[in-house]
Amino acid sequence: RSVYDDQPNAHQKFMEKLDACIRNHDREIEKMCNFHHQGFVDAITELLKVRADAEKLKVQVTDTNRRLQDAGKEVIAQTEEIIRCRVQQRNITTVVEKLQLCLPVLEMYSKLKEQMNVKRYYSALKTMEQLENLYLPRVSQYRFCQIMIENLPKLREEIKEISMSDLKDFLESIRKHSDRIGETAMKQAQQQKTFSTALQKQNNVNYGRNMHLGRSRISESKNEITLKRTFEDDDEHEEEVLTAQDLVDFSPVYRCLHIYSVLGDGEIFENYYRKQRRKQARLVLQPQSSMHETVEGYRRYFSQIVGFFVVEDHILHVTQGLVTRTYTDELWNMALSKIIAVLRTHSSYCTDPDLVLELKNLIVVFADTLQGYGFPVNRLFDLLFEIRDQYNETLLKKWSGLFRDIFEADNYSPIPVANEEEYKIVISKFPFQDPELDKQSFPKKLPMSQSVPQIYIQVKEFIYASLKFSESLHRSSTEIDDMLRKSTNLLLTRTLSSCLQNLIKKPHIGLTELVQIIINTTHLEQACKYLEDFISNITNISQLTVHTARLYGLSTFKDARHAAEGEIYTKLNQKIDEFIQIADYDWTMSESDGRASGYLMDLINFLRSTFQVFTHLPGKVAQTACMSACQHLSMSLMQMLLDSELKQISMGAIQQFNLDVIQCELFASSEPVPGFQGDTLQLAFIDLRQLLDLFMVWDWSTYLADYGQATSKYLRVNPSTALTLLEKMKDSSKKNNIFAQFRKNDRDKQKLIETVVKQLRSLVNGMSQHT
């Protein structure tokens, strides 16, 4: 840099100095060469001498090399082979090492495939987990591992789909087998109950005591369902104990639950299972429309429901969390409401008491079975009380027909007994006691007709039928006794009473039949105390118990008697009316025939024979009937005289009518029915007698003078009645000139009639004004 920075000639001076320096070095080199030249020459000379030796050595080396090359070719070949083998060995060692890492993966994958083929899906999932966590990470760099890793989620989904398909098959299987499971469970419950009942009876437990088995489970272990089924062969009976797994394979549920749990989808599986089972529950709870027609329909319905809940109970105790007690209780409450609604509806269609009774027995077994599995069934027993009312209604309808048939077949005649044997047969059927009749010799007749012992037997049969329903209701003997008495009261006060009332009103029932009905009801009423004893005997409840209901069916027979008595009075009056209708008076006759009318004599003879039949009736009934008949006869005769269509009456007709009334009075005084005091019965005709006496004697002055006084001879003669009859006679006298001789003998007679008519009219007008 100093060269370029100095004066402008500095470069020139530098170059000059450089050339001078070069020349100096060249002179020094030349001096050195000159100094060593001889040694160089000597060296060249020696080199030339070596040259020949070098050629020889070259030839020798070439030959040696050739010979060495020829000898080393085989060594080289062997060396290359060794190198190649060692490379292969190293590769093999590497491969072995890698295979030792890959083989367990492949073996596990092969094991996975095998487990999939044999449907060991839970084990397959475990194998997958080992592959993913332990084996595949070691060899993740290989392509086949990536393929495996990609396939594992697909296999999981496949396992889920397969397990879900198996679960669906399981659900379908238990849908088909639920009725068999329920049937066997109900059979075992019934057998266990029968055994317990027999054991209690052996231990002298009173009949009717609560025999409920409590909430003990049917099987000894809650984790196992033991169901009994009886197979009947031609020659012997074999009993085989079946488990739920014998009827249904539960392994799909376990597998599916484990699989979904392992996959972390346990909640999804639980929700799906419960949803599907709820759907199945609704199907099971849906009855067939014709279920009420046969008991088999009810049995199949109950078996399906029991089978459903037995399976749920089994799942509850063999799995953890899939089914909970809360879930089963909720499902049962839903089912119970539906079951009660279905039974309440279908039982109302039942008209056969035997079918209702079988339904009750099925409900009891159904309830006992499910209560044995821990399900509350109190509402079912409450429903049984409703069905009991329906059962009683069907019984009442059935017994109504039986009573009607008995009444239709009865001849309404006293029961004849020819000897002691026949008498004992009747007494064995009906509790009859009569010391007076016992003293009589055979043959003799019992006062009641054949229907009485038959009705008594049917009432007892009704009590037995009613008792059949009251059994197994888990009620005390007192409650059963109370139910029997109430149902028997209904039979007496409603059914039998209605049949008796209808019988009494039937047209073909005559006076004789009515008399016999009154006698029959009297004996049936007396037999009620024996019915109370009968109920007490079969329930072992004393009648002295405070809460024991009484049979108030006595009123039934009293009401029937009153109705029969009223019908007797009615029929008697109707018969009297029939006789009155055939009366054929000549109201314009000049004088009487001198004897009573034929129709009236026939009527009196009829009454006399009828009242003879009444000797078996209670005295008051016969007396009332007789008095009623006489009063009705008197009233009918009076109405005949005062009939508005009758315009004229002659004195001869009055005299003829008087003869008929005299016969009526003679009949009344002959005491056709004992027990009347004095002339009580004759007083029935007192109105007619005083009226006829007034006209026959023509004692108007006395009548008018004493009118209104208690001591009047004609106290029972009403002025309007006398006026009506007098005007009929007045009109007759004008037309037929009946009073012509009166005018000849006594001209004042006509004036007297006119005066009497005026006075009678004034009395009638005075009475109307007073009223």
Side-chain angles (χ1 to χ4, degrees):
R1 190 177 59 182
S2 64
V3 173
Y4 289 98
D5 294 340
D6 288 341
Q7 297 299 321
N9 295 324
H11 180 269
Q12 186 65 34
K13 291 178 180 180
F14 173 74
M15 292 302 297
E16 290 177 357
K17 287 180 178 182
L18 183 61
D19 289 338
C21 186
I22 291 171
R23 285 191 299 271
N24 289 332
H25 282 296
D26 286 340
R27 283 192 298 273
E28 290 178 359
I29 293 171
E30 185 177 355
K31 287 179 180 181
M32 187 178 291
C33 289
N34 289 331
F35 177 77
H36 292 289
H37 178 71
Q38 185 59 43
F40 176 73
V41 171
D42 292 338
I44 291 300
T45 301
E46 289 180 1
L47 184 60
L48 289 175
K49 290 179 180 179
V50 174
R51 186 175 183 175
D53 294 333
E55 288 293 334
K56 290 180 183 178
L57 182 59
K58 180 181 179 181
V59 172
Q60 291 177 353
V61 169
T62 302
D63 182 58
T64 301
N65 181 55
R66 179 181 57 76
R67 287 187 286 110
L68 182 61
Q69 290 296 329
D70 292 339
K73 286 181 180 179
E74 184 177 354
V75 175
I76 291 171
Q78 291 295 328
T79 301
E80 290 178 352
E81 181 67 20
I82 289 172
I83 292 171
R84 186 180 62 80
C85 288
R86 286 188 177 179
V87 170
Q88 287 180 346
Q89 184 179 9
R90 185 174 66 249
N91 291 339
I92 288 172
T93 301
T94 303
V95 168
V96 169
E97 291 176 354
K98 298 303 180 182
L99 282 177
Q100 286 177 346
L101 291 176
C102 294
L103 278 177
V105 176
L106 296 173
E107 288 175 356
M108 291 297 289
Y109 196 79
S110 175
K111 180 181 178 181
L112 172 64
K113 286 293 186 180
E114 182 180 356
Q115 289 170 340
M116 292 287 292
N117 292 333
V118 297
K119 298 182 179 181
R120 296 172 56 193
Y121 302 115
Y122 180 70
S123 300
L125 289 175
K126 290 295 184 182
T127 302
M128 287 184 196
E129 185 178 355
Q130 290 180 349
L131 277 172
E132 286 182 329
N133 298 330
L134 185 62
Y135 292 96
L136 288 177
R138 300 174 182 174
V139 291
S140 58
Q141 69 271 24
Y142 298 110
R143 187 173 57 184
F144 76 89
C145 292
Q146 296 299 323
I147 295 174
M148 288 182 183
I149 292 173
E150 293 174 359
N151 284 338
L152 290 181
K154 297 179 182 178
L155 290 176
R156 282 195 175 91
E157 291 300 321
E158 182 181 351
I159 289 174
K160 288 176 67 174
E161 292 176 1
I162 293 174
S163 62
M164 185 58 69
S165 176
D166 291 343
L167 177 67
K168 292 178 180 178
D169 294 340
F170 164 78
L171 293 174
E172 181 63 25
S173 174
I174 60 176
R175 176 74 178 91
K176 294 179 180 178
H177 292 86
S178 60
D179 55 341
R180 291 184 60 198
I181 296 174
E183 181 182 356
T184 50
M186 290 173 68
K187 281 183 179 179
Q188 184 182 11
Q190 192 169 11
Q191 291 169 0
Q192 186 171 358
K193 181 179 179 181
T194 302
F195 174 77
S196 300
T197 303
L199 185 61
Q200 287 183 351
K201 288 184 178 180
Q202 185 177 358
N203 293 333
N204 296 323
V205 176
N206 287 336
Y207 180 79
R209 182 179 175 185
N210 189 342
M211 297 182 291
H212 193 48
L213 300 179
R215 297 182 178 272
S216 61
R217 293 189 44 77
I218 291 179
S219 59
E220 294 181 357
S221 172
K222 289 187 176 181
N223 295 327
E224 183 175 273
I225 302 175
T226 303
L227 305 173
K228 291 185 177 180
R229 183 178 61 185
T230 302
F231 297 93
E232 295 186 359
D233 297 330
D234 294 338
D235 300 326
E236 62 181 0
H237 298 278
E238 296 181 358
E239 186 179 90
E240 181 180 356
V241 178
L242 299 177
T243 62
Q245 287 84 352
D246 294 329
L247 297 176
V248 177
D249 181 15
F250 286 92
S251 59
V253 180
Y254 309 146
R255 286 198 303 267
C256 204
L257 175 60
H258 289 310
I259 288 169
Y260 273 77
S261 298
V262 170
L263 297 177
D265 294 333
E267 186 176 352
I268 295 176
F269 171 72
E270 291 173 8
N271 293 334
Y272 176 80
Y273 176 84
R274 295 179 184 183
K275 181 180 179 181
Q276 294 301 317
R277 288 296 278 166
R278 282 192 180 95
K279 289 182 180 179
Q280 288 191 343
R282 293 187 181 94
L283 292 176
V284 167
L285 294 171
Q286 188 65 33
Q288 295 182 353
S289 58
S290 60
M291 184 178 72
H292 62 277
E293 296 178 357
T294 61
V295 71
E296 290 302 322
Y298 287 108
R299 182 176 287 110
R300 179 174 177 80
Y301 181 66
F302 289 139
S303 297
Q304 289 179 345
I305 296 173
V306 170
F308 178 89
F309 284 99
V310 165
V311 169
E312 288 305 286
D313 184 79
H314 178 76
I315 296 295
L316 171 66
H317 291 93
V318 297
T319 61
Q320 296 295 330
L322 177 58
V323 175
T324 63
R325 175 58 66 182
T326 302
Y327 162 77
T328 56
D329 289 344
E330 178 186 350
L331 198 60
W332 169 245
N333 289 331
M334 180 274 291
L336 189 58
S337 299
K338 179 66 175 177
I339 292 168
I340 290 174
V342 167
L343 293 178
R344 184 178 286 123
T345 300
H346 282 264
S347 64
S348 63
Y349 299 146
C350 294
T351 57
D352 182 7
D354 294 334
L355 179 58
V356 179
L357 184 61
E358 290 181 348
L359 171 60
K360 167 257 175 181
N361 292 331
L362 280 177
I363 293 176
V364 170
V365 175
F366 172 73
D368 287 342
T369 303
L370 288 174
Q371 190 162 21
Y373 284 93
F375 296 100
V377 293
N378 292 334
R379 292 172 61 189
L380 282 175
F381 284 101
D382 294 338
L383 173 67
L384 282 174
F385 281 93
E386 297 181 24
I387 297 180
R388 178 176 59 86
D389 296 336
Q390 172 67 19
Y391 176 70
N392 284 336
E393 289 298 323
T394 58
L395 284 183
L396 292 175
K397 290 180 181 178
K398 178 179 179 180
W399 258 257
S400 177
L402 293 175
F403 289 154
R404 284 196 301 268
D405 294 342
I406 290 173
F407 289 140
E408 288 293 333
D410 195 8
N411 58 8
Y412 297 99
S413 300
I415 301 175
V417 285
N419 49 49
E420 183 71 22
E421 183 178 354
E422 292 183 4
Y423 180 74
K424 288 182 178 179
I425 292 175
V426 177
I427 296 303
S428 65
K429 297 178 180 178
F430 181 76
F432 173 74
Q433 294 178 354
D434 188 350
E436 295 298 328
L437 186 64
D438 292 341
K439 296 176 181 178
Q440 298 179 13
S441 59
F442 291 99
K444 53 187 175 183
K445 292 183 177 181
L446 302 180
M448 63 284 210
S449 63
Q450 289 288 352
S451 63
V452 172
Q454 293 175 1
I455 292 293
Y456 183 79
I457 291 173
Q458 287 304 322
V459 172
K460 292 174 66 175
E461 290 297 326
F462 175 88
I463 295 173
Y464 276 127
S466 182
L467 177 65
K468 288 180 181 178
F469 195 96
S470 300
E471 293 174 342
S472 305
L473 290 186
H474 304 160
R475 298 297 176 184
S476 65
S477 298
T478 303
E479 291 174 304
I480 294 176
D481 182 89
D482 185 62
M483 286 187 286
L484 286 181
R485 292 177 187 273
K486 287 181 179 178
S487 58
T488 306
N489 280 328
L490 275 179
L491 177 71
L492 297 178
T493 58
R494 219 173 75 185
T495 305
L496 183 55
S497 176
S498 176
C499 291
L500 284 171
Q501 296 293 339
N502 292 334
L503 173 67
I504 291 168
K505 297 295 182 182
K506 287 187 176 181
H508 70 276
I509 298 298
L511 292 170
T512 304
E513 288 80 5
L514 289 171
V515 170
Q516 188 61 55
I517 289 173
I518 291 175
I519 297 171
N520 290 349
T521 54
T522 302
H523 289 284
L524 286 172
E525 179 180 353
Q526 295 171 353
C528 278
K529 62 179 181 179
Y530 296 102
L531 290 177
E532 288 191 342
D533 294 338
F534 175 72
I535 295 175
S536 298
N537 288 334
I538 63 176
T539 59
N540 288 331
I541 297 296
S542 173
Q543 296 186 35
L544 301 178
T545 304
V546 176
H547 300 289
T548 301
R550 299 298 179 187
L551 291 182
Y552 49 84
L554 299 174
S555 60
T556 294
F557 304 112
K558 292 180 180 178
D559 294 341
R561 272 201 305 278
H562 292 325
E565 291 167 8
E567 194 66 20
I568 286 176
Y569 307 150
T570 301
K571 287 187 178 294
L572 270 177
N573 294 342
Q574 290 175 351
K575 201 66 178 179
I576 291 172
D577 292 339
E578 292 176 6
F579 281 102
I580 295 295
Q581 287 175 2
I582 64 175
D584 187 18
Y585 284 103
D586 181 7
W587 297 107
T588 60
M589 64 172 58
S590 57
E591 60 182 12
S592 66
D593 294 339
R595 63 180 183 275
S597 302
Y599 86 92
L600 187 69
M601 297 306 299
D602 293 339
L603 172 58
I604 290 174
N605 291 332
F606 163 75
L607 292 176
R608 200 179 300 279
S609 60
T610 299
F611 291 143
Q612 288 178 354
V613 178
F614 286 8
T615 54
H616 297 292
L617 287 176
K620 292 184 178 179
V621 177
Q623 294 169 15
T624 303
C626 186
M627 177 60 75
S628 173
C630 291
Q631 288 176 345
H632 185 73
L633 176 57
S634 176
M635 188 181 301
S636 300
L637 292 174
M638 180 70 77
Q639 289 176 352
M640 189 183 300
L641 284 176
L642 303 179
D643 190 358
S644 59
E645 295 182 1
L646 178 60
K647 304 299 182 181
Q648 302 172 5
I649 298 178
S650 65
M651 183 56 70
I654 293 292
Q655 293 171 351
Q656 181 63 41
F657 201 81
N658 182 59
L659 293 176
D660 293 342
V661 173
I662 291 173
Q663 291 299 322
C664 294
E665 292 172 332
L666 290 174
F667 169 73
S669 63
S670 65
E671 197 175 7
V673 172
F676 287 108
Q677 297 180 355
D679 56 355
T680 303
L681 193 58
Q682 298 177 28
L683 293 177
F685 301 96
I686 189 65
D687 292 358
L688 270 175
R689 172 49 50 210
Q690 291 186 8
L691 179 63
L692 292 174
D693 286 348
L694 177 60
F695 278 86
M696 293 290 291
V697 179
W698 208 252
D699 195 6
W700 293 104
S701 57
T702 305
Y703 175 75
L704 295 173
D706 296 340
Y707 178 75
Q709 298 180 10
T711 58
S712 174
K713 182 179 178 181
Y714 305 102
L715 180 63
R716 305 297 294 263
V717 179
N718 191 292
S720 60
T721 303
L723 176 61
T724 301
L725 187 57
L726 187 59
E727 287 181 339
K728 293 178 184 289
M729 294 185 67
K730 178 182 176 183
D731 293 339
S732 177
S733 66
K734 288 181 180 179
K735 191 168 184 179
N736 298 324
N737 203 18
I738 296 299
F739 290 99
Q741 65 178 6
F742 291 157
R743 288 196 295 271
K744 292 178 181 179
N745 299 330
D746 189 1
R747 296 182 180 277
D748 294 335
K749 191 72 171 182
Q750 186 64 32
K751 293 181 180 181
L752 177 59
I753 293 176
E754 296 292 341
T755 302
V756 171
V757 169
K758 289 180 181 181
Q759 291 179 353
L760 288 175
R761 284 176 180 170
S762 65
L763 289 176
V764 172
N765 292 333
M767 290 176 61
S768 61
Q769 291 176 0
H770 179 71
T771 303

